Amino acid sequence: MADTLKVIEQCEVSPPPGSVPSTSIPLTFFDLPWLCCPPLKRIFFYNFPYSTQHFFQTLLPTLKNSLSLTLQHFFPFSSNLVFPPKPNPPHIVYTQPHSVSFTVAQSSADFITLVSDSPKDVTALHPFVPVLPPPQTLEDGTFFIPIMAIQVTVMPHSGFTICITFRHAAADGRAFHHFMKFWASVCKSNGDLGLASIALPLHNRDIIQDPKGLKHIFLQKLLNFLPENVESKGEIRDVPSDMVRHTFVFSHEHVEKLKRWVSIKCKSHGLELPHITTFVVTSALIWFCKVKSEEIKSATVLANNDESYILAFMADCRNRPEFSIPVEYFGNCLVCGNAEVKRSKLVGENGILEAAIAIGSEVRHLQHGTFEGAETLMSNFTEFATLGKHMTIIAGSPNLEVYETDFGWGKPKKSDVVHVDNSGTISLSDCRDKEGRIEVGLALQKIQMKKFSTILEEHLTEIRVLD
């Protein structure tokens, strides 16, 4: 029998009355390129072996109250993206009683299956994903687009999910997970902000320096990017019927042996030792396996081995000494790195090594080049949107500590980036049991996923026997 989902309540949650004045927040050059990005979707699964009625009586009121108290400090999430008539720039506006759409539902889906790492149909998570409210247009053409929606779904006697859809132009992953941990901390302390242990966010956009005038350049490029284009990127797209998502877990031993393997290979080939980190070697292995697994899709893939393949990833500029941007800064603060390798090299005998060198070099470049990755943000996102190139995008980071989001009933049983439904995206995160383990999530068509898994296991076996 097919899983069923029943919406039990649809409401709005806003900051406490009078707690937030009407506020307008400008978008910085870090924020503007993300207007071209579809909304992000992150889901958290929690154990709850009780009835729906028990959930409604005990947890739901605390969840709503703590969310309201949290939105007092993270009010941009209950705001709107505003596109005034040209040439006025888009910005974020909060006015009372702006709120976040909050949906409560009940599902007959099997909780144990959903939290397993085994392959599952990508559509399995779609019923849990909240839809952003529709935009509004004023008579003068001003366009208002809601920024966040939340859905809580109960699976009786097993668990429940919290799933959030939000627009990247308002906040990056660091800011979003700051919000989630703050909400969790307030909930765990039963609404006592004095006991909540998470720092307050910093909303001052003046600390973002723009010596290269990138905001003006990006605004000019966005002039023909209509607000309707932003809204059209809001919903879950159709995906192939045989698409599956899979979570792969790398142990600390896997990662350390992979680092050593890359180091030995570099020396044996007389190559410069790249920036060898957990991120570099894990991304290199996954990228290699993904591209290698494409060989079975179509013979046309093999037609031009000189085409460039790109791995795009983000680097956080917070807490870097040259910028003086604190880790609590709320907004976007990312630059983009592009590791580029010719296909013939990437799928060759030394493909993992070639990938590691390219990624490591780009990581090192971003660490030493002030805002250099920022200059290409807009053009990168244009390419991401069209996917005209052979591009893979890394979403998330183990450093965000997703599994530390404890609302008072323990760590998440699982957390997924729902938007890896786009097979051009791979997610990285920490693991529930820590111990240096890394979770990698991706979605591919079934036959390619099987090939990917085989290639990955072959290389992990080779690396595992390294003394």
Side-chain angles (χ1 to χ4, degrees):
M1 192 173 76
D3 296 334
T4 59
L5 183 121
K6 177 185 178 183
V7 174
I8 296 174
E9 180 184 358
Q10 175 68 61
C11 63
E12 304 287 323
V13 178
S14 59
S19 63
V20 181
S22 295
T23 307
S24 176
I25 301 177
L27 298 180
T28 73
F29 72 88
F30 278 128
D31 303 315
L32 289 171
W34 294 104
L35 290 171
C36 310
C37 175
L40 305 189
K41 305 173 182 76
R42 164 71 76 168
I43 189 167
F44 298 82
F45 293 85
Y46 292 94
N47 279 326
F48 191 74
Y50 307 105
S51 67
T52 301
Q53 183 179 9
H54 186 57
F55 176 83
F56 266 67
Q57 291 174 344
T58 59
L59 291 189
L60 188 59
T62 308
L63 265 178
K64 286 182 180 179
N65 181 57
S66 56
L67 175 60
S68 174
L69 294 172
T70 299
L71 289 173
Q72 174 182 344
H73 302 288
F74 291 82
F75 62 89
F77 278 144
S78 55
S79 305
N80 281 310
L81 267 175
V82 179
F83 289 79
K86 296 174 183 177
N88 300 302
H91 53 281
I92 294 170
V93 167
Y94 176 84
T95 55
Q96 294 190 52
H98 278 170
S99 56
V100 170
S101 171
F102 192 91
T103 303
V104 183
Q106 178 176 306
S107 172
S108 65
D110 183 60
F111 184 81
I112 301 301
T113 300
L114 289 173
V115 300
S116 70
D117 293 334
S118 57
K120 56 185 70 71
D121 193 306
V122 292
T123 61
L125 297 184
H126 290 181
F128 304 93
V129 178
V131 176
L132 287 164
Q136 294 183 318
T137 307
L138 301 185
E139 288 185 5
D140 66 355
T142 301
F143 207 72
F144 290 85
I145 300 178
I147 288 174
M148 177 178 276
I150 298 173
Q151 180 173 319
V152 175
T153 306
V154 185
M155 283 159 274
H157 305 291
S158 54
F160 70 96
T161 66
I162 299 175
C163 189
I164 297 92
T165 300
F166 73 99
R167 297 200 175 273
H168 207 320
D172 58 17
R174 173 75 63 186
F176 168 73
H177 287 289
H178 185 186
F179 159 78
M180 288 301 300
K181 291 186 180 71
F182 193 97
W183 178 16
S185 182
V186 175
C187 186
K188 194 173 183 178
S189 64
N190 203 27
D192 189 336
L193 287 172
L195 295 177
S197 56
I198 309 297
L200 293 173
L202 177 67
H203 296 289
N204 180 13
R205 299 294 170 99
D206 292 338
I207 65 174
I208 302 296
Q209 302 298 308
D210 185 12
K212 297 182 179 180
L214 295 178
K215 180 173 181 176
H216 176 73
I217 294 169
F218 292 170
L219 280 171
Q220 293 304 306
K221 291 184 178 180
L222 280 168
L223 274 178
N224 296 320
F225 190 78
L226 301 175
E228 290 86 351
N229 292 345
V230 177
E231 177 54 28
S232 69
K233 296 178 180 295
E235 307 309 324
I236 294 172
R237 294 158 297 172
D238 291 334
V239 294
S241 59
D242 63 342
M243 199 90 160
V244 294
R245 64 164 59 239
H246 197 332
T247 302
F248 297 88
V249 179
F250 293 90
S251 68
H252 179 68
E253 182 186 20
H254 280 146
V255 174
E256 290 307 307
K257 286 197 171 183
L258 185 53
K259 287 179 184 177
R260 190 167 171 226
W261 184 85
V262 168
S263 178
I264 290 170
K265 284 278 188 180
C266 270
K267 289 174 183 175
S268 67
H269 286 80
L271 298 171
E272 181 186 355
L273 199 67
H275 189 81
I276 298 180
T277 64
T278 297
F279 171 80
V280 168
V281 298
T282 304
S283 300
L285 176 59
I286 295 297
W287 188 25
F288 164 82
C289 293
K290 179 177 177 291
V291 176
K292 187 81 172 171
S293 70
E294 290 174 1
E295 292 184 9
I296 60 164
K297 288 171 62 179
S298 170
T300 57
V301 174
L302 303 173
N304 188 351
N305 262 0
D306 286 330
E307 285 188 313
S308 290
Y309 278 62
I310 295 172
L311 184 79
F313 57 91
M314 305 300 149
D316 193 347
C317 291
R318 293 174 181 83
N319 266 8
R320 284 173 60 169
E322 68 268 38
F323 300 143
S324 301
I325 303 170
V327 72
E328 296 82 14
Y329 172 75
F330 186 90
N332 286 284
C333 198
L334 302 172
V335 291
C336 184
N338 286 338
E340 190 168 336
V341 181
K342 296 290 186 184
R343 188 186 183 283
S344 56
K345 290 187 174 182
L346 186 54
V347 299
E349 182 182 351
N350 297 309
I352 299 173
L353 179 61
E354 294 283 354
I357 291 172
I359 298 168
S361 297
E362 188 66 10
V363 168
R364 191 163 46 193
H365 173 72
L366 289 178
Q367 288 178 338
H368 293 96
T370 304
F371 284 168
E372 287 202 17
E375 293 179 295
T376 61
L377 273 172
M378 188 63 75
S379 58
N380 283 337
F381 287 119
T382 303
E383 290 175 6
F384 294 172
T386 60
L387 291 177
K389 288 190 175 183
H390 300 292
M391 184 174 285
T392 299
I393 304 166
I394 298 287
S397 165
N399 295 332
L400 296 177
E401 298 185 321
V402 173
Y403 283 90
E404 297 306 305
T405 313
D406 181 357
F407 283 81
W409 45 84
K411 293 181 178 181
K413 188 70 177 174
K414 182 134 177 76
S415 183
D416 276 320
V417 176
V418 181
H419 53 276
V420 300
D421 289 0
N422 169 6
S423 60
T425 303
I426 294 170
S427 69
L428 292 184
S429 82
D430 56 323
C431 215
R432 187 176 192 268
D433 55 8
K434 286 287 190 179
E435 298 174 3
R437 288 150 63 96
I438 303 293
E439 280 189 7
V440 178
L442 74 161
L444 300 170
Q445 288 177 284
K446 281 182 184 177
I447 188 169
Q448 187 184 352
M449 184 67 82
K450 187 174 181 181
K451 183 72 172 177
F452 175 94
S453 300
T454 300
I455 296 168
L456 177 62
E457 188 53 44
E458 286 173 355
H459 284 83
L460 286 177
T461 299
E462 177 187 342
I463 292 162
R464 204 178 284 133
V465 299
L466 188 68
D467 291 329

